[in-house]
Amino acid sequence: MSTQTLPTQAKSAREIISYDPATGEEIGRAPLSSLEDVRQAVSRGRKAQPAWSNFSFRQRARVILKARELMLAQRDEIAKLVSRETGKPVTEALSMEIVPTLDAMHYFAHAAENLLRPQKIDIGQYGMMGRSSSIRFKPLGVIGIISPWNFPLATPADEVVMALMAGNAVVLKPSELTPFIALKIGEIFSRAGLPEGLLEVLTGDGSTGAALIEARVDKIMFTGSVATGKRVAEAAARYLIPVVLELGGKDPMIVLEDADIENAARGAVWGAFANSGQACASVERCYVHESIAPKFIERVVAETETLRQGVGTETAVDIGSMTNERQLQIVEHHVSDAERRGARILTGGHRGENPEGFFYPPTVLTNVDHDMTIMRDETFGPVLPVMTFSTDDEAVKLANDSVYGLTASVWTKNIARGRRIAERIEAGTVMVNEVVYTHGIAQTPWGGVKDSGYGRTHGRMGLLELVTPQHIHVNRLSFLPDLWWFRYSPSAAKLFGGLATHFTTGSIIRTSRLLPQIVKRLFGLRK
Ligand code: NAD
């Protein structure tokens, strides 16, 4: 039964259908926006953006905070919609999507002005020559956001907020699997009084995402798979459109012999199975010190077996269904490949009985190694493969043996040791005694290294992706020519040699030795 009507902006005859992955029920139909739709949206954004960028931070914040108020008031309805489009439990939609989004709205509404305040730059000895430099941060124009289905509220909404606070217009292209949550974001901002054209939500598939690049937005914030990220970067390069790529992960968790075993086991279970393991930062590989492995694995299995799987909109459910069948098949392939190569399935391991929903039980594997797909490719499902190690060096080597580098974690009671190991791991974020959740901290940068992408979102670094720094340089001594201007002469060459020796040391005392030559040249040039 369809519970959503066709949105009013639907002009296209083509449409996408959103289904509840836990029940197979149709949620509704949304337009498959064409290149022309995208061009018009970008053009509306271009018209609206200059006035918005002239708004003060306080005026922009007022709209964001009104949207926050509306989202908070509708939180239960929104959490249910998130649950219906993704299969995740309503409770998790609240904790992992709505709470961090409201927090990010509050943070950026209040902090953006300070984070983007113009800055003076210390230009050393040039400052003694009557010059000064400052940086101001200008909005880029129209930002294209392309987002995936796994956190369909938090991922795009946070970026919408940051882009708007920085003075940009936004065109958002959500995943074809979760169009209605994105339309809800658009509706909330519109009801909050955001002027028309500043947030356009264009539902559609990959062709709509590709059209955003053809429509020449000023920057693409892409979150999704490595394969699509590469296609996006390649297409954007044709027009030199800058791109932030938030891609996949194969995130390792290292449990040292001095870790709190109980808590590390609980952390591993939540980190691997929250959102049915469909988080870019999910724990996808666990390395435990051999001396504590039996106890740790026993705790992990026991904890896993207490989890209740079911339709996410029902109460008392820990794990919902996966969001789509293609992803479920990838999980089945990874587990069967591992099993064929000798892995032991300690719990789970086979698709559930429920034929309607895409349910896969939380699965724990041991006897795994790095020849197996499950330890190399992103599984993006509720599977936790566990391997043992005997030394810190070996653990670091195993963690770094991946093409990915999004997040990682180290578990130990010795914080200094945890930090030392964290610094050796190739990942954008490394947590000590924590997993997954730092995407939820609005203040800290989020992003990866290696195939996990480049650029950052969140925090000051994320905000800086949405502006262009403009350097303003002023020479107050407007009556004086510069030493290095024409004309050149043997005495000029001698002075430049002196500058190379003294000025470049940064020492005013050393440079002052050149003062007579400098004065002579300056007055010579004025003649
Ligand atoms: P995906 O790459 O299939 O799709 C992502 C988005 O790109 C969708 O909106 C899709 O319609 C669009 N798209 C597809 N083809 C396109 C094209 N040619 N041009 C422009 N846009 C195009 O990814 P997915 O399956 O939706 O999401 C899962 C992936 O996202 C996983 O790999 C996961 O790790 C990653 N992810 C990363 C982060 C992060 O912050 N690093 C966060 C969430 C998800």
Side-chain angles (χ1 to χ4, degrees), residues 503-514:
F503 177 81
T504 59
T505 63
S507 158
I508 299 168
I509 295 169
R510 287 189 61 174
T511 305
S512 65
R513 288 186 205 162
L514 302 169

Side-chain angles (χ1 to χ4, degrees), residues 445-467:
W446 180 264
V449 297
K450 305 202 272 187
D451 277 5
S452 291
Y454 47 72
R456 292 293 180 265
T457 181
H458 291 182
R460 180 159 194 265
M461 287 177 185
L463 209 53
L464 289 179
E465 297 280 3
L466 298 158
V467 289

Side-chain angles (χ1 to χ4, degrees), residues 146-150 155 173-176 204-206 209-210 213 222-226 228 231-232 246-249 280 326 378 380 406 439 446 452:
I146 302 177
S147 56
W149 43 263
N150 61 333
T155 301
K173 206 303 280 178
S175 166
E176 50 273 42
D205 61 11
I213 297 158
F222 174 83
T223 308
S225 62
V226 176
T228 312
R231 275 201 289 280
V232 165
E246 301 288 350
L247 309 180
C280 48
R326 205 187 109 248
E378 187 180 44
F380 220 58
L406 188 57
H439 188 272
W446 180 264
S452 291

Side-chain angles (χ1 to χ4, degrees), residues 334-374:
H334 284 198
V335 172
S336 62
D337 171 79
E339 199 177 10
R340 204 174 45 250
R341 291 166 189 258
R344 271 187 67 205
I345 297 176
L346 301 185
T347 184
H350 298 281
R351 189 176 174 163
E353 297 297 300
N354 186 336
E356 263 101 45
F358 304 135
F359 290 93
Y360 195 88
T363 296
V364 181
L365 304 176
T366 53
N367 281 16
V368 290
D369 61 49
H370 280 208
D371 288 335
M372 298 175 181
T373 314
I374 205 141

